[in-house]
Amino acid sequence: MGVYGVIHNQKELLVINKNGGPYTNRYDLCGGSLEEGELLEEAVIREVKEETGLDATIKRQLGSVSYRYPWKYEHYTDNVHIAIFYEMTASDLSVLGKISEFDGQDSVGCAFVPIDKLTSSNSSPLVMSAKQYLESHSFSTESQNFEEWEVLAVAQY
């Protein structure tokens, strides 16, 4: 389970370049897991800061979605990823890209990417949910099930 920030301008979505986990070598939303004792809102603000350098504020919680897909990890064969989405804003974009370095950091950079360049072959399902929200102005909380999922060996962006 994790919390994720949807930060956008009129035609672009802020994404990170992922270098770990099932979304390796895809665009993903900034966000991640909660630390001990952390509230959801505190976690998403911290994660955005760590992965983008931005001091972001929450506009609203959009909802949650669960994604199920095959992924071999440790002794597991499937993963169910529960994502809680927050629409967020950041005013000082001059610090964009100044990410924190620490063990477990799975972002190798971030950028605003045109929404029409985000596809299911280069992006995580979370990014595709955010794209759908930005295009339709409606957030779907319907669970998504993927019969197949490929962890990419080479970046597709």
Side-chain angles (χ1 to χ4, degrees):
M1 199 252 335
V3 291
Y4 298 89
V6 177
I7 301 172
H8 60 93
N9 57 35
Q10 292 169 333
K11 296 189 184 221
E12 300 173 310
L13 176 65
L14 180 62
V15 295
I16 64 169
N17 298 324
K18 198 75 165 183
N19 74 347
Y23 309 143
T24 297
N25 292 317
R26 294 178 189 263
Y27 292 126
D28 196 18
L29 293 180
C30 43
S33 301
L34 282 69
E35 294 181 352
E36 185 176 348
E38 207 170 33
L39 297 173
L40 296 172
E41 297 84 359
E42 294 168 336
V44 74
I45 289 168
R46 175 187 51 78
E47 285 283 351
V48 167
K49 176 78 169 178
E50 288 176 357
E51 295 183 345
T52 68
L54 296 175
D55 290 312
T57 56
I58 295 171
K59 287 176 65 176
R60 69 181 67 82
Q61 185 187 93
L62 297 172
S64 61
V65 180
S66 62
Y67 305 91
R68 181 174 51 205
Y69 48 83
W71 182 48
K72 291 183 169 77
Y73 179 72
E74 294 180 353
H75 64 278
Y76 301 101
T77 58
D78 288 85
N79 188 50
V80 175
H81 185 183
I82 300 166
I84 301 169
F85 292 79
Y86 289 87
E87 186 169 14
M88 303 178 79
T89 60
S91 56
D92 182 10
L93 298 180
S94 67
V95 298
L96 184 65
K98 296 179 180 168
I99 62 173
S100 302
E101 295 295 327
F102 56 88
D103 284 344
Q105 174 64 284
D106 60 359
S107 170
V108 292
C110 61
F112 279 96
V113 173
I115 293 167
D116 64 351
K117 300 293 183 200
L118 301 170
T119 67
S120 58
S121 62
N122 70 10
S123 302
S124 74
L126 285 73
V127 167
M128 299 312 294
S129 289
K131 176 181 177 176
Q132 183 272 331
Y133 165 69
L134 296 174
E135 291 176 335
S136 70
H137 306 289
S138 175
F139 188 80
S140 172
T141 58
E142 185 175 333
S143 296
Q144 296 181 30
N145 184 45
F146 298 88
E147 296 295 326
E148 297 179 1
W149 185 258
E150 179 183 4
V151 177
L152 301 177
V154 178
Q156 299 296 306
Y157 31 81

PDB file of all heavy atoms in Angstrom, residues 84-96:
ATOM      1  N   ILE A  84      -3.249   5.043  -2.921  1.00  0.00           N
ATOM      2  CA  ILE A  84      -4.119   6.153  -2.537  1.00  0.00           C
ATOM      3  C   ILE A  84      -3.571   7.401  -3.227  1.00  0.00           C
ATOM      4  O   ILE A  84      -2.402   7.744  -3.060  1.00  0.00           O
ATOM      5  CB  ILE A  84      -4.157   6.321  -1.014  1.00  0.00           C
ATOM      6  CG1 ILE A  84      -4.654   5.026  -0.365  1.00  0.00           C
ATOM      7  CG2 ILE A  84      -5.040   7.509  -0.626  1.00  0.00           C
ATOM      8  CD1 ILE A  84      -4.500   4.971   1.123  1.00  0.00           C
ATOM      9  N   PHE A  85      -4.422   8.048  -4.011  1.00  0.00           N
ATOM     10  CA  PHE A  85      -4.012   9.169  -4.853  1.00  0.00           C
ATOM     11  C   PHE A  85      -4.397  10.504  -4.235  1.00  0.00           C
ATOM     12  O   PHE A  85      -5.512  10.659  -3.733  1.00  0.00           O
ATOM     13  CB  PHE A  85      -4.695   9.069  -6.225  1.00  0.00           C
ATOM     14  CG  PHE A  85      -4.231   7.920  -7.067  1.00  0.00           C
ATOM     15  CD1 PHE A  85      -4.695   6.634  -6.844  1.00  0.00           C
ATOM     16  CD2 PHE A  85      -3.338   8.130  -8.103  1.00  0.00           C
ATOM     17  CE1 PHE A  85      -4.289   5.570  -7.632  1.00  0.00           C
ATOM     18  CE2 PHE A  85      -2.915   7.077  -8.902  1.00  0.00           C
ATOM     19  CZ  PHE A  85      -3.391   5.794  -8.662  1.00  0.00           C
ATOM     20  N   TYR A  86      -3.481  11.461  -4.343  1.00  0.00           N
ATOM     21  CA  TYR A  86      -3.725  12.831  -3.896  1.00  0.00           C
ATOM     22  C   TYR A  86      -3.394  13.785  -5.028  1.00  0.00           C
ATOM     23  O   TYR A  86      -2.308  13.706  -5.614  1.00  0.00           O
ATOM     24  CB  TYR A  86      -2.834  13.188  -2.693  1.00  0.00           C
ATOM     25  CG  TYR A  86      -3.236  12.498  -1.429  1.00  0.00           C
ATOM     26  CD1 TYR A  86      -2.758  11.234  -1.123  1.00  0.00           C
ATOM     27  CD2 TYR A  86      -4.125  13.104  -0.541  1.00  0.00           C
ATOM     28  CE1 TYR A  86      -3.140  10.581   0.041  1.00  0.00           C
ATOM     29  CE2 TYR A  86      -4.507  12.463   0.626  1.00  0.00           C
ATOM     30  CZ  TYR A  86      -4.010  11.208   0.906  1.00  0.00           C
ATOM     31  OH  TYR A  86      -4.398  10.575   2.056  1.00  0.00           O
ATOM     32  N   GLU A  87      -4.301  14.679  -5.332  1.00  0.00           N
ATOM     33  CA  GLU A  87      -3.969  15.765  -6.247  1.00  0.00           C
ATOM     34  C   GLU A  87      -3.220  16.796  -5.424  1.00  0.00           C
ATOM     35  O   GLU A  87      -3.641  17.172  -4.322  1.00  0.00           O
ATOM     36  CB  GLU A  87      -5.214  16.378  -6.874  1.00  0.00           C
ATOM     37  CG  GLU A  87      -4.873  17.402  -7.933  1.00  0.00           C
ATOM     38  CD  GLU A  87      -6.083  17.830  -8.754  1.00  0.00           C
ATOM     39  OE1 GLU A  87      -7.229  17.545  -8.357  1.00  0.00           O
ATOM     40  OE2 GLU A  87      -5.856  18.461  -9.796  1.00  0.00           O
ATOM     41  N   MET A  88      -2.075  17.255  -5.949  1.00  0.00           N
ATOM     42  CA  MET A  88      -1.192  18.135  -5.195  1.00  0.00           C
ATOM     43  C   MET A  88      -0.709  19.283  -6.073  1.00  0.00           C
ATOM     44  O   MET A  88      -0.782  19.212  -7.307  1.00  0.00           O
ATOM     45  CB  MET A  88       0.017  17.345  -4.676  1.00  0.00           C
ATOM     46  CG  MET A  88      -0.376  16.157  -3.806  1.00  0.00           C
ATOM     47  SD  MET A  88       1.036  15.187  -3.245  1.00  0.00           S
ATOM     48  CE  MET A  88       1.613  16.232  -1.902  1.00  0.00           C
ATOM     49  N   THR A  89      -0.217  20.329  -5.419  1.00  0.00           N
ATOM     50  CA  THR A  89       0.378  21.457  -6.126  1.00  0.00           C
ATOM     51  C   THR A  89       1.730  21.766  -5.504  1.00  0.00           C
ATOM     52  O   THR A  89       1.996  21.432  -4.353  1.00  0.00           O
ATOM     53  CB  THR A  89      -0.500  22.716  -6.038  1.00  0.00           C
ATOM     54  OG1 THR A  89      -0.668  23.067  -4.666  1.00  0.00           O
ATOM     55  CG2 THR A  89      -1.854  22.498  -6.681  1.00  0.00           C
ATOM     56  N   ALA A  90       2.563  22.409  -6.289  1.00  0.00           N
ATOM     57  CA  ALA A  90       3.866  22.877  -5.813  1.00  0.00           C
ATOM     58  C   ALA A  90       4.131  24.208  -6.483  1.00  0.00           C
ATOM     59  O   ALA A  90       3.972  24.338  -7.695  1.00  0.00           O
ATOM     60  CB  ALA A  90       4.957  21.874  -6.152  1.00  0.00           C
ATOM     61  N   SER A  91       4.519  25.193  -5.697  1.00  0.00           N
ATOM     62  CA  SER A  91       4.685  26.528  -6.272  1.00  0.00           C
ATOM     63  C   SER A  91       6.107  26.801  -6.736  1.00  0.00           C
ATOM     64  O   SER A  91       6.304  27.432  -7.755  1.00  0.00           O
ATOM     65  CB  SER A  91       4.237  27.592  -5.267  1.00  0.00           C
ATOM     66  OG  SER A  91       4.931  27.446  -4.059  1.00  0.00           O
ATOM     67  N   ASP A  92       7.113  26.344  -6.021  1.00  0.00           N
ATOM     68  CA  ASP A  92       8.501  26.634  -6.383  1.00  0.00           C
ATOM     69  C   ASP A  92       9.088  25.461  -7.152  1.00  0.00           C
ATOM     70  O   ASP A  92       9.615  24.516  -6.566  1.00  0.00           O
ATOM     71  CB  ASP A  92       9.332  26.923  -5.128  1.00  0.00           C
ATOM     72  CG  ASP A  92      10.777  27.269  -5.457  1.00  0.00           C
ATOM     73  OD1 ASP A  92      11.103  27.475  -6.647  1.00  0.00           O
ATOM     74  OD2 ASP A  92      11.586  27.326  -4.512  1.00  0.00           O
ATOM     75  N   LEU A  93       9.004  25.517  -8.471  1.00  0.00           N
ATOM     76  CA  LEU A  93       9.499  24.424  -9.302  1.00  0.00           C
ATOM     77  C   LEU A  93      11.000  24.508  -9.563  1.00  0.00           C
ATOM     78  O   LEU A  93      11.561  23.625 -10.207  1.00  0.00           O
ATOM     79  CB  LEU A  93       8.737  24.391 -10.626  1.00  0.00           C
ATOM     80  CG  LEU A  93       7.232  24.128 -10.530  1.00  0.00           C
ATOM     81  CD1 LEU A  93       6.607  24.111 -11.918  1.00  0.00           C
ATOM     82  CD2 LEU A  93       6.930  22.846  -9.788  1.00  0.00           C
ATOM     83  N   SER A  94      11.662  25.536  -9.031  1.00  0.00           N
ATOM     84  CA  SER A  94      13.102  25.681  -9.269  1.00  0.00           C
ATOM     85  C   SER A  94      13.909  24.558  -8.622  1.00  0.00           C
ATOM     86  O   SER A  94      15.039  24.303  -9.030  1.00  0.00           O
ATOM     87  CB  SER A  94      13.602  27.036  -8.762  1.00  0.00           C
ATOM     88  OG  SER A  94      13.523  27.094  -7.348  1.00  0.00           O
ATOM     89  N   VAL A  95      13.353  23.878  -7.631  1.00  0.00           N
ATOM     90  CA  VAL A  95      14.066  22.786  -6.962  1.00  0.00           C
ATOM     91  C   VAL A  95      13.743  21.429  -7.584  1.00  0.00           C
ATOM     92  O   VAL A  95      14.264  20.406  -7.131  1.00  0.00           O
ATOM     93  CB  VAL A  95      13.759  22.750  -5.445  1.00  0.00           C
ATOM     94  CG1 VAL A  95      14.219  24.021  -4.774  1.00  0.00           C
ATOM     95  CG2 VAL A  95      12.276  22.518  -5.196  1.00  0.00           C
ATOM     96  N   LEU A  96      12.915  21.411  -8.605  1.00  0.00           N
ATOM     97  CA  LEU A  96      12.505  20.159  -9.230  1.00  0.00           C
ATOM     98  C   LEU A  96      13.720  19.343  -9.646  1.00  0.00           C
ATOM     99  O   LEU A  96      14.627  19.845 -10.303  1.00  0.00           O
ATOM    100  CB  LEU A  96      11.630  20.433 -10.456  1.00  0.00           C
ATOM    101  CG  LEU A  96      11.043  19.206 -11.147  1.00  0.00           C
ATOM    102  CD1 LEU A  96      10.060  18.498 -10.230  1.00  0.00           C
ATOM    103  CD2 LEU A  96      10.362  19.595 -12.435  1.00  0.00           C
TER     104      LEU A  96
END
